[in-house]
Amino acid sequence: FVDSSWYFLRFLSDAATAAEQPFDRDQVNSFMPVQLYVGGIEHAVLHLLYSRFVTKFLCSRGYMSIRDGETSEPFRKLLTQGMVHGETFKDPDTGEYVPSSRVSADAEGRAIDKRSGKVLSVVWEKMSKSKHNGVEPSEVLERFGADTTRLFVLFKAPAEKVLDWDTQAIQGQSRWLARVWKLFDAWHSSAEG
C-alpha cells in the first residue's frame, strides 16, 4: 500500500528531481490537492485512506503543504466508478456458477444447463472469472471496434453507476454508428459531386 499512497506526489516531479528525492516539494506545494480522483469503489476506499494518512503525515512534518490552507486533504473531489456487471448463470439448487458455453435457451427463452438440463437463474453480478461472466476486451474490440465500444461504455450508464454489459445493447450502438457513417458518406459524396 505504501507506493500507491503517494504516487500522485511523484507524478509532479521531473526525472532529475525524482532521482534525488521522493518528490519535488515546490511542484507538490504548487499543484496539490488533486482536483478529481477517479477510482473504482473497491479500490478507492483503502487507497484514499492510505493516501490521506501519508499526506497528513508529510504535511505535519513540513515536507509539503496544500494550497487549501488548514486542510491537508490530498483530493478535492472523489468520483467512484460503478462496477461492470455481466449476465451470470447460476444453478438455483447449488449456487454453482455456470459458464455461458454450457447454457442454451429453451423454447420459452429460459436458460438451460446443457449438462444437467436444469433451468438456471439468470442474474447480473460483478464480472469475475469465478462467475464465468467476464467479457474478453480484445474480442469486443475485434467484433465491434473501438468507437462502438467507447460509445457503449459512455452512454450505457453514468460513470458512478453500475453498468450491465449487454451484447444486445452494444449491437445497437454499432448499428447507430453505421447509420451515422452512411449519412456522412452520402453528404460527402453529394458535396464532391
Side-chain angles (χ1 to χ4, degrees), residues 38-41 79-84 153-163:
V38 180
I41 188 70
L79 172 66
T80 52
Q81 297 169 309
M83 302 295 285
V84 179
V153 170
L154 288 171
F155 292 108
K156 179 68 174 164
E160 66 279 2
K161 301 291 184 190
V162 168
L163 185 153

Side-chain angles (χ1 to χ4, degrees), residues 3-49:
D3 290 337
S4 69
S5 300
W6 64 278
Y7 70 87
F8 50 92
L9 304 175
R10 183 89 168 166
F11 285 162
L12 296 172
S13 305
D14 61 30
T17 304
E20 308 260 331
Q21 56 195 20
F23 56 86
D24 183 322
R25 179 185 292 191
D26 293 334
Q27 292 292 335
V28 166
N29 291 347
S30 175
F31 288 104
M32 286 296 290
V34 173
Q35 298 302 304
L36 177 64
Y37 177 92
V38 180
I41 188 70
E42 292 183 343
H43 168 79
V45 173
L46 287 177
H47 177 260
L48 291 174
L49 179 69

Side-chain angles (χ1 to χ4, degrees), residues 140-158:
V140 173
L141 291 173
E142 187 176 317
R143 182 173 175 194
F144 298 107
D147 291 337
T148 300
T149 305
R150 284 187 197 106
L151 274 176
F152 177 73
V153 170
L154 288 171
F155 292 108
K156 179 68 174 164

Side-chain angles (χ1 to χ4, degrees), residues 39-63:
I41 188 70
E42 292 183 343
H43 168 79
V45 173
L46 287 177
H47 177 260
L48 291 174
L49 179 69
Y50 301 143
S51 297
R52 290 182 73 215
F53 172 80
V54 168
T55 303
K56 287 178 180 292
F57 172 78
L58 292 171
C59 286
S60 74
R61 299 291 182 207
Y63 291 108

Side-chain angles (χ1 to χ4, degrees), residues 54-129:
V54 168
T55 303
K56 287 178 180 292
F57 172 78
L58 292 171
C59 286
S60 74
R61 299 291 182 207
Y63 291 108
M64 63 177 282
S65 63
I66 293 185
R67 290 178 293 150
D68 283 352
E70 296 299 314
T71 180
S72 55
E73 293 295 333
F75 309 107
R76 253 200 201 136
K77 186 174 179 185
L78 167 66
L79 172 66
T80 52
Q81 297 169 309
M83 302 295 285
V84 179
H85 286 186
E87 187 175 34
T88 309
F89 303 100
K90 291 172 81 171
D91 182 310
D93 299 325
T94 66
E96 173 194 8
Y97 292 102
V98 179
S100 60
S101 59
R102 243 179 61 198
V103 178
S104 63
D106 66 8
E108 298 170 23
R110 298 177 301 178
I112 305 294
D113 185 339
K114 292 177 190 175
R115 188 182 298 163
S116 69
K118 286 184 182 178
V119 175
L120 299 171
S121 298
V122 182
V123 294
W124 292 89
E125 293 187 6
K126 176 179 79 167
M127 283 190 177
S128 166
K129 288 179 186 177

